[in-house]
Amino acid sequence: MATEEPQTTGGEQTTRRAAMRPRRAFRAGVMLLALFTFLVTWAFASPLGATPDENYHMASIWCAEGERDGACLTNDDGTVFAVPEALPMRVCYAFDPEKAATCQPEVELIGTDRYVVTKVGNFGEHAGDYPGLFYSVMSQFVGPDVQRSILVMRVLNAAIFTLLVGVVYAFSSVRVRRALVATTAVTLVPLGAFLIPSINPSGWTIGSASILFFALYGVVQSRSRTTIAVLASTAVLAFTMSVGSRADGAVYAGLAVVVATMLGLRSLRPTWRNLLRLVLPAVMLVVALRVFLSVGSSAVQAPQEGTSGSWPVVQVFLDVFQYIPGSLGWFALGWGDTTMPTIVWVLVGTACAGVVFVGVAPLGRRRLFASLVAVGALLAVPTYIAVTSWVAGAALQARYIFPMVIIAVAVATLVTEARGPAATTSRGLTLTVPQRWFVVGAISIAGAVAIYINLRRYVTGVDVQKLRLTPAEWWWPGAPVSPEVLCIISAAALVTVLVLATRVLVPGAADVTGRLGESDELRGSRSVASGATPVVPVSEEPLETLEATTPRHARAAPQN
C-alpha cells in the first residue's frame, strides 16, 4: 500500500516564513555591523593626510563655511585663507613609502590659535573646482581637536555607506539583493575600503555608484508604493552625494541613471505608468548635466600637442585597460606610494571576473545594450582624459574611473533573464557552493593582506622587513588597540560580512525569501534552482486565448 507524502499547506509555509523572519533580521543586522566595523578599521588604518590630495580637501572642509572661529580665517575681500597649523598641509611622507607617518612635525592638535596661510583648497583662485556639498557637510563636524574631527568624518562616511547598503538590501527583491552583494563583494577591496571611510570626495563618488544604480532600478521596476518611496529617497540621496562630491561624479551618476532605467522599465510602451516612472530619472539627468557644466574641474580641454591623428588616440585607448585592474588593487593606494602585493589584485580580479562571467551567461538584448553602454563609457571617458593630458596616467587615476567599473559590474550581475524552460521570472545571479566559497576566500585573503600592507606603510615604512607591526613608529595616541589587533579585527569583520552576505547567492538559501516592501517582479515565482515548481504569473490575455494555447492534458479536470 503506497503511502502519501505529506504536503505543506499554504498556512504552514506562511507560519514557517514568519518564524524565520527574526533569524533573517538578526543575520542582516550582524552583516551590516560587520561591514561597518570593517570600514571603520580602514578609517583608522591611515594617518591624517593619507588619501590623495588630502591637504587640499582638509583646507576645503575647514574653510567650507568661510571665516569661522577655530576653523578658518579670511581677509576682507576673501582672497586670503588661513587654516589651523595643526592641519598637515605638507604631507611629509607622501611619495616616499619608506617614511613612516612620524615625520609630521609636532604641533598642538587641540585648541590652537595659530594659523597658516594656504592657497591649496576649494577657495580663492581654486574656488569652484569641486562641488561644495561634500565639504559643507564635512565642515559641520569640524571641532577644536583636528585629529578627532577627521576621524569622526571618516567614521561618518563609513556609517553612511553601510546605512545605504542596508536600506537597498532590505527593500529590494532577491534579484537585486544578489547583484548588490556580488558587486559590493568583488569591488570593495582595496580601493573602496581605503577611500569610502575617508575625507576624500572620491569616497562619496565611489560609494554612491552601486547604491544609485540598484535603488533607481528598484524605483522603476517596483509596484509597491512603500518600496518606491524608500528606494526613491535612497536614490536621491546617493545621486546627491555623487554630484555633490566631484564634477565627474555627475557623469557617473548620469551613467547609473541611464542603465538602471534601461533595465528597470518593464516595457517601452508609452503608458502613463511608464511615463511617471521616467520622471525621477529625467530630473536626475538634467541636474547631473547642469552640475557637470557648472563646476570648474569639468572644463573641456583640447588635445595636447602631439595627439593629432588617430594613432596616438589608439595608443592611449589600448593603455586605458590597465585602469580596470588598477582600480581592483593593481595601482598603489595613498599618494601612489602604497603598492599592494600581486596577490591582492590577482585574487580580487579573478573573483570579479568570475562573478561577471557567471552573470553575463544569460545575456538578453536589453542587458546586452546596457552592458555596451556601461563598458563604452568605462573605456571612452579615461581615453578622453588621457588624450587631453597626452601622457597616459599624468592626469588619470584609477579612482576617477572606479565608479564606472562598479556600474559595469552591477549591470553584469543584475541578471534579469529567466533561466531554464520552466522559469517565468529571473531570480538573479546564483553561484554554486564552491564558487561562493572561492569568492569569500579570495576577497578575505586580499582584504587581510591589503590592510596589513597599508598599516605597514604608515606604521613603520616599507623598509622595515619583519612580520610584526610592533613596535610601531607611528600610531594614534591613546588608541585602545594596536595596529596588529586592528588588522585582526578588520580581517575577522570582512570574513563575517562575506560569509553572511553571500548566503543569498546560493540557490535555496534561507535568506532569499521575504523582504520589506516586496515588489511585484518576484511575486508568483519561486526558485527553480532550489527545486521548487514555478508558479506562472497571471496573464493579461483573454481566457479563451489561454485555453486555446494550453495542452489538453494540462487542463484541469472539471469539478463535480
Side-chain angles (χ1 to χ4, degrees), residues 34 117 119 160 259 313 341 401 404 428 430 470 552 558:
V117 175
K119 295 182 178 180
I160 292 174
V259 293
V313 177
I401 71 164
M404 292 187 291
T430 58
T470 54
R552 185 177 302 274

Side-chain angles (χ1 to χ4, degrees), residues 211-245:
I211 301 300
L212 173 59
F213 172 79
F214 290 120
L216 190 60
Y217 174 84
V219 172
V220 178
Q221 178 76 195
S222 178
R223 291 174 180 169
S224 168
R225 292 183 178 180
T226 302
T227 300
I228 292 175
V230 173
L231 293 183
S233 301
T234 305
V236 169
L237 178 57
F239 174 83
T240 304
M241 290 173 58
S242 185
V243 300
S245 55

